[in-house]
Amino acid sequence: MKVENSVPLNIEGRYRNLYLKKNVYDCPKLAVSEYKNVFVSHEGLCWKNFRLLPYSTFNINSSYDVKHGWEFYRLVTEQYIVSTFGTSLKKIHLDTQKNYAVIHTKWFNYSFWMTSSLVRLQMLYDLGKDFILLYPEEWDTLPFVQATLRTFPKLKIERIPAGIHVQVPHLLLPEVRPFTACLNEQDIKQVAKHICEFYKNDIAEIINTPKKIFVNRKKANCRKIDNETQIKPIFEKYDFVEIDFDDMTLVEQIAYTRNAEQIVMLHGAGMTNVMFANPGTKILELMHEYTDPCTYRFIYWFLSVQNQCDYFVQFCKTQNTHFDEWRKDLVIEADVLERNLSLMLK
């Protein structure tokens, strides 16, 4: 299926070409494959007969960032050999009479969980076969995992201790989209609808939330605002209320997003919540500039447009910190921000 996304409403100049080069992509129809005797690493890498299984992780079935495929292959091959023939890594063998499934990959955060792992879990339920989910025990410490898995009350799990790998006799493998910025609109909407239906009463109880919100990243370990004191008065001028998703439960994040009419967010996993926004919501993403244009991943543009939101973007210079380029703090040009806020509110 070919997917086409409209360019941001305020984009101009050289940035426009960035979006025109990426506004169309092929999105394959994903399925659940069945395999026997598969080695599954603790990070979800699936290995059999000295190869990574097709569509078992990102960037191994496309020309998009193929270097990661080689990194994953070397890692899982070493893990298999050492856990099978050595002593420094441990592996457990699972029940030969049961079906097991894996829904996580080497790349794992809130965004990957909501837009990939939960899509894959829904694929398993749609398949209609009995299965047990391979569940890394560290998921017990992740509130967003707990809150979303609660919406699947009959789910069976097999907890895998930290650092332990598994040999799976019968594996159900819901395919992973070929590269990270390759979203299927219907899949994401199905996940959002499922979660909102489960928590609809809790969401409805959260009222009187602001119509204009600025979502900061103060508690994140990277990509914060370097010149916050300079831009804070601009948000106040236009009546934006500053919030932090890290202070909220999943239900509160959903409610604030659904009730807002204008949202400003810094590029990051928290922007995944635009999947819960109402159509017509105006979204402004504060995006850090890269020196190499090929580095851009416009997943939150895709997510916003496919949810029928009005998407705007502002590119920001980065502060010269010790972080890698994609993790540096942002310097937001105040006059550009004010112009974009004014445009959003028209």
Side-chain angles (χ1 to χ4, degrees):
M1 178 179 70
K2 191 171 292 293
V3 177
E4 183 171 358
N5 299 280
S6 57
V7 299
L9 296 175
N10 65 329
I11 204 67
E12 57 186 20
R14 64 188 179 93
Y15 297 120
R16 186 176 182 83
N17 289 331
L18 283 177
Y19 286 87
L20 288 174
K21 289 178 181 178
K22 295 177 181 286
N23 72 323
V24 179
Y25 59 81
D26 290 318
C27 186
K29 178 65 176 177
L30 303 178
V32 179
S33 300
E34 299 187 37
Y35 296 96
K36 293 183 178 180
N37 197 28
V38 178
F39 174 80
V40 180
S41 77
H42 192 77
E43 302 92 346
L45 296 173
C46 300
W47 187 96
K48 178 179 172 67
N49 296 334
F50 285 90
R51 67 166 185 161
L52 280 168
L53 292 183
Y55 293 97
S56 59
T57 190
F58 298 106
N59 299 325
I60 62 174
N61 287 90
S62 74
S63 58
Y64 210 80
D65 270 1
V66 292
K67 62 181 180 181
H68 294 295
W70 286 108
E71 293 174 4
F72 298 156
Y73 175 76
R74 288 194 296 268
L75 174 62
V76 73
T77 301
E78 178 182 339
Q79 290 171 331
Y80 170 78
I81 292 173
V82 176
S83 65
T84 303
F85 304 105
T87 58
S88 59
L89 295 178
K90 302 298 182 183
K91 177 175 69 171
I92 57 177
H93 293 261
L94 299 180
D95 194 326
T96 60
Q97 304 302 313
K98 297 177 181 179
N99 291 323
Y100 295 89
V102 60
I103 61 171
H104 62 290
T105 66
K106 175 68 175 170
W107 288 339
F108 186 83
N109 63 12
Y110 180 70
S111 181
F112 290 120
W113 176 257
M114 299 296 287
T115 67
S116 177
S117 295
L118 291 182
V119 169
R120 298 173 73 194
L121 183 56
Q122 191 64 60
M123 290 166 61
L124 288 164
Y125 271 82
D126 293 343
L127 184 67
K129 285 194 172 184
D130 192 49
F131 70 91
I132 299 172
L133 181 67
L134 297 180
Y135 179 105
E137 68 174 8
E138 56 267 29
W139 285 1
D140 286 338
T141 66
L142 299 175
F144 63 85
V145 171
Q146 299 303 305
T148 49
L149 289 187
R150 201 172 295 127
T151 68
F152 298 89
K154 296 182 180 180
L155 181 66
K156 304 174 190 174
I157 64 173
E158 175 80 23
R159 274 183 172 78
I160 309 299
I164 302 299
H165 312 293
V166 291
Q167 195 72 35
V168 186
H170 300 282
L171 179 69
L172 298 178
L173 179 64
E175 293 175 340
V176 180
R177 60 183 189 261
F179 54 93
T180 55
C182 174
L183 299 177
N184 183 306
E185 175 183 338
Q186 298 307 315
D187 290 341
I188 304 300
K189 286 185 175 179
Q190 183 180 12
V191 168
K193 180 180 179 181
H194 171 82
I195 295 173
C196 289
E197 281 292 323
F198 184 87
Y199 286 115
K200 62 181 179 181
N201 293 334
D202 301 283
I203 295 171
E205 289 179 359
I206 302 175
I207 58 176
N208 298 324
T209 57
K211 298 298 183 183
K212 303 174 185 177
I213 58 175
F214 164 54
V215 185
N216 68 41
R217 286 175 54 88
K218 288 183 177 179
K219 295 186 178 179
N221 58 12
C222 66
R223 244 182 2 260
K224 304 179 184 182
I225 299 176
D226 181 72
N227 61 330
E228 186 173 357
T229 56
Q230 182 183 4
I231 65 164
K232 187 174 182 179
I234 299 175
F235 283 118
E236 294 174 346
K237 175 181 176 181
Y238 288 91
D239 299 321
F240 276 80
V241 177
E242 185 174 354
I243 65 171
D244 192 333
F245 282 153
D246 285 335
D247 294 329
M248 299 181 179
T249 65
L250 176 66
V251 169
E252 290 171 333
Q253 293 178 47
I254 295 172
Y256 271 72
T257 304
R258 285 170 66 89
N259 296 340
E261 295 176 357
Q262 289 93 22
I263 305 175
V264 180
M265 295 182 179
L266 282 77
H267 176 86
M271 275 204 74
T272 308
N273 284 329
V274 300
M275 66 189 285
F276 300 112
N278 288 314
T281 302
K282 293 177 171 58
I283 309 291
L284 172 61
E285 178 177 10
L286 301 176
M287 169 81 73
H288 49 296
E289 275 195 317
Y290 285 122
T291 53
D292 180 6
C294 295
T295 310
Y296 287 106
R297 305 289 178 266
F298 291 135
I299 185 170
Y300 304 118
W301 164 40
F302 298 152
L303 203 57
S304 299
V305 171
Q306 292 177 17
N307 201 27
Q308 290 80 52
C309 295
D310 295 337
Y311 175 84
F312 302 78
V313 65
Q314 178 173 333
F315 287 87
C316 307
K317 301 294 184 182
T318 54
Q319 179 67 11
N320 186 24
T321 67
H322 63 280
F323 287 133
D324 295 333
E325 186 176 44
W326 67 275
R327 302 179 68 203
K328 291 182 178 181
D329 293 341
L330 279 64
V331 179
I332 300 173
E333 293 182 69
D335 58 335
V336 178
L337 174 63
E338 183 158 12
R339 185 165 65 245
N340 283 325
L341 293 181
S342 178
L343 183 63
M344 283 178 65
L345 298 175
K346 285 185 178 179

